Amino acid sequence: MTMASNTYDTIIFDLGDVLFDWDEPKNVASLAALPKGAMREMMNSTTWYDLDRGLLPAEEAYKIMGEELNIEASLVQQAIDAAALSLRVNEQWAELVEKLAAKPGLKVYAMSNISKEHFEYIRTLPFPWEAFTRVFTSAAAGMRKPDLCFYQYVINETGSDPGRTIFLDDRTENIVAARSFGIRGEVVTENERTKEGRIFRFLRNVVLGEPIALAETFLRSESGKLDSIYSEKGVSFKDNFAQLLIWGLTDMEDIIYLLWPDGTPWRGSSRCSSPDDNASVASSTDSAVVLNDKTRNGKKPRPLQDGLWNYFTEKPVGTTETFPADADTTSIAYLTIPQEHLHRVADPRLVLDAMAANVNVDGIMQVYFTDDRPRICAIVSVNMLRFFLKYGGDDLDLDTDPRLAATRNFVVNCLVNNAVMNGTRHYTTTESFLYFVSLFYAELRAKAENNSIKNVNVRQTLKRHIYRSLVQSLGKPGNPLALAMRVRACQVFGIEKGLLKWEMDELLVLQEEDGGWPAGYFCRAGRTGADIGSRGFTTAMAWRILKDYEREDCVA
């Protein structure tokens, strides 16, 4: 169970235009005999409303409406009967209703504006009526939607909690009335009445589904194939960056692939041969420096080049034919690689020194380890600072280290002044910045548990402005990966999960039938601006979000 799937225990369906569709009437002549617009006029008349409420018998209502329209009552009856006979069951929704009704702890009801006579007819249609705990009709209740008294009546009769209830209807005024009670109301449009519709997916994924298990099945079934993609062109390619991010989120070593800086291809637990595969490994309590200095069986320490990671694992796609190592992939690699694999790369101190020396005219550390691409990026800067925080030693203080002052100030100023609201040259969304800077803050917070004096200024500044930025971001639309990054940023920062209800529901709605999420996008090719996403990365992040919330719920 997830936070979202535990939220709702009652679902109330409208019938017509939700669970039932309208076909072209077989007796078209009956409708054609009415004056133009007559059917709409009748359906919006007080006589029709009284018919719905059971206050008028059908024959009397037809007579009154005929008089109001100056036509025979028999024509009114024939037209209304022809429309009723055109109703057909929406098979996809009928199947879903049965599945929802079978879920333990979930009650399913119907609530419809319908006359006694037409409800008697509709009950003869091949719909799984037994799935409903109860059907509330306007005729039987003497009330109709959107009368608030009808909703209160249903709430009282069912004993439902409005905050745990979903109401589905095709008319906006009926949804507004439901929402006024605190019920989650969803307008069902014609486009929604398919398996691909958002509301259908909401019920399937949020209320009925097991998103964690489905996501893990997807990740494992796509093991070694979780490639990145240029979103607009649909061109897939293999890269280290997304693989490292997936590894860090899931700890599933066996589903990813890498190309280590020394040129060794690697597939998780398959462990492609490398000269150092048999190197001894220090205990997990040893530092990375000791690990690299003393566990190589007398071999020379790895050179700097064995610590500089390339974004791509194969021939570059969508950019120049040759592509230099970059500080972003390198930082993420060292932040992700478990202790037992650090013997494969250069001592992190060598890499940190190379980063600190590779600065622009403003003293800000640069993206690429090459002179012909002088680039800086606020988000890459965040990840470099995270790398320094992890491997810079116990004496490192980001508040006072002169090597990092310009990069630190750049990151802080970008956060304080919302400079990354439109992304950067290398990243497409502000959520990318909020995600990585929230991880940075969480790591500073963890570090402070052992030493609260160091890094105090940068930590407090980040805390104040990350909170503001995250709260301001809530409720805004975004692509699937941006949405996942926003939720994960809030989660690691510590935003109350009750504030993320909209984001969580929207994220779960996006899960596809194979268990994965759409690729979305979060970074871009610097030269062309082409957006880059990854189904694997989005799914891994959604999986981790749900797993962590599940763990919290279990502890609570």
Side-chain angles (χ1 to χ4, degrees), residues 112-332:
S112 179
N113 288 342
I114 191 169
S115 69
K116 174 178 178 292
E117 294 79 5
H118 285 125
F119 183 60
E120 288 174 352
Y121 164 72
I122 201 174
R123 281 298 301 261
T124 66
L125 297 179
F127 186 87
W129 295 102
E130 68 281 357
F132 292 124
T133 301
R134 184 173 170 184
V135 177
F136 294 92
T137 67
S138 57
M143 298 169 272
R144 72 185 301 277
K145 299 174 292 186
D147 299 340
L148 297 184
C149 55
F150 194 10
Y151 295 84
Q152 189 63 64
Y153 173 74
V154 172
I155 291 170
N156 293 343
E157 288 292 307
T158 61
S160 60
D161 176 357
R164 297 171 62 84
T165 300
I166 300 168
F167 174 70
L168 305 177
D169 199 287
D170 65 302
R171 300 192 67 84
T172 304
E173 63 266 32
N174 297 341
I175 294 298
V176 171
R179 289 174 179 168
S180 74
F181 285 91
I183 293 170
R184 175 171 183 142
E186 295 285 349
V187 180
V188 182
T189 65
E190 184 176 355
N191 292 334
E192 297 288 357
R193 294 199 295 274
T194 66
K195 281 188 174 182
E196 291 72 36
R198 178 189 167 280
I199 295 174
F200 190 101
R201 290 161 64 111
F202 170 78
L203 294 176
R204 184 191 67 199
N205 296 349
V206 178
V207 180
L208 192 61
E210 295 294 339
I212 296 176
L214 288 171
E216 186 162 343
T217 297
F218 171 82
L219 290 169
R220 296 199 178 280
S221 67
E222 296 296 311
S223 173
K225 298 178 290 184
L226 298 168
D227 299 339
S228 292
I229 186 170
Y230 284 111
S231 301
E232 292 182 6
K233 296 182 179 180
V235 177
S236 63
F237 62 91
K238 296 183 180 295
D239 67 290
N240 281 315
F241 192 60
Q243 299 301 302
L244 289 163
L245 292 169
I246 292 168
W247 192 5
L249 285 164
T250 65
D251 200 30
M252 298 179 193
E253 178 183 302
D254 55 323
I255 69 173
I256 60 111
Y257 56 80
L258 293 173
L259 181 68
W260 295 82
D262 67 357
T264 303
W266 191 71
R267 262 295 311 278
S269 59
S270 64
R271 301 183 184 276
C272 299
S273 61
S274 169
D276 290 311
D277 271 350
N278 296 318
S280 59
V281 179
S283 71
S284 59
T285 58
D286 292 334
S287 71
V289 174
V290 172
L291 179 69
N292 281 276
D293 285 348
K294 298 185 177 180
T295 64
R296 296 181 51 77
N297 296 326
K299 296 180 180 179
K300 293 181 180 180
R302 285 189 179 269
L304 172 63
Q305 290 304 121
D306 284 0
L308 306 183
W309 286 73
N310 196 292
Y311 179 85
F312 294 98
T313 65
E314 295 181 343
K315 183 179 178 180
V317 177
T319 184
T320 54
E321 290 188 10
T322 59
F323 200 77
D326 69 272
D328 208 15
T329 308
T330 297
S331 296
I332 295 298

Side-chain angles (χ1 to χ4, degrees), residues 383-520:
N383 288 328
M384 286 192 280
L385 292 175
R386 294 175 61 211
F387 181 20
F388 270 87
L389 183 67
K390 182 172 183 179
Y391 287 107
D394 293 335
D395 293 331
L396 176 73
D397 189 341
L398 294 175
D399 289 340
T400 59
D401 193 314
R403 300 175 303 165
L404 306 178
T407 304
R408 178 203 65 219
N409 291 339
F410 179 49
V411 167
V412 169
N413 290 335
C414 283
L415 175 63
V416 170
N417 296 300
N418 296 322
V420 192
M421 66 173 65
N422 301 118
T424 68
R425 176 187 176 96
H426 300 285
Y427 283 89
T428 55
T429 65
T430 188
E431 282 85 0
S432 300
F433 181 58
L434 293 176
Y435 171 64
F436 288 115
V437 81
S438 294
L439 292 177
F440 183 30
Y441 169 73
E443 290 154 0
L444 284 165
R445 185 174 56 199
K447 202 88 167 178
E449 293 177 3
N450 296 322
N451 189 331
S452 61
I453 304 300
K454 286 184 168 57
N455 310 308
V456 64
N457 289 332
V458 66
R459 186 175 68 251
Q460 290 179 350
T461 302
L462 291 181
K463 179 181 181 180
R464 183 167 62 254
H465 291 284
I466 291 173
Y467 177 82
R468 169 186 55 80
S469 297
L470 288 175
V471 170
Q472 288 176 350
S473 74
L474 297 179
K476 296 180 180 178
N479 78 77
L481 186 45
L483 185 62
M485 295 181 99
R486 184 194 309 165
V487 175
R488 183 61 180 164
C490 290
Q491 190 177 46
V492 299
F493 182 80
I495 297 292
E496 181 186 349
K497 68 181 181 182
L499 297 176
L500 306 180
K501 186 173 181 295
W502 182 86
E503 271 76 13
M504 286 300 300
D505 284 351
E506 290 301 305
L507 184 62
L508 285 164
V509 163
L510 293 171
Q511 188 175 28
E512 300 184 336
E513 286 195 78
D514 62 3
W517 268 259

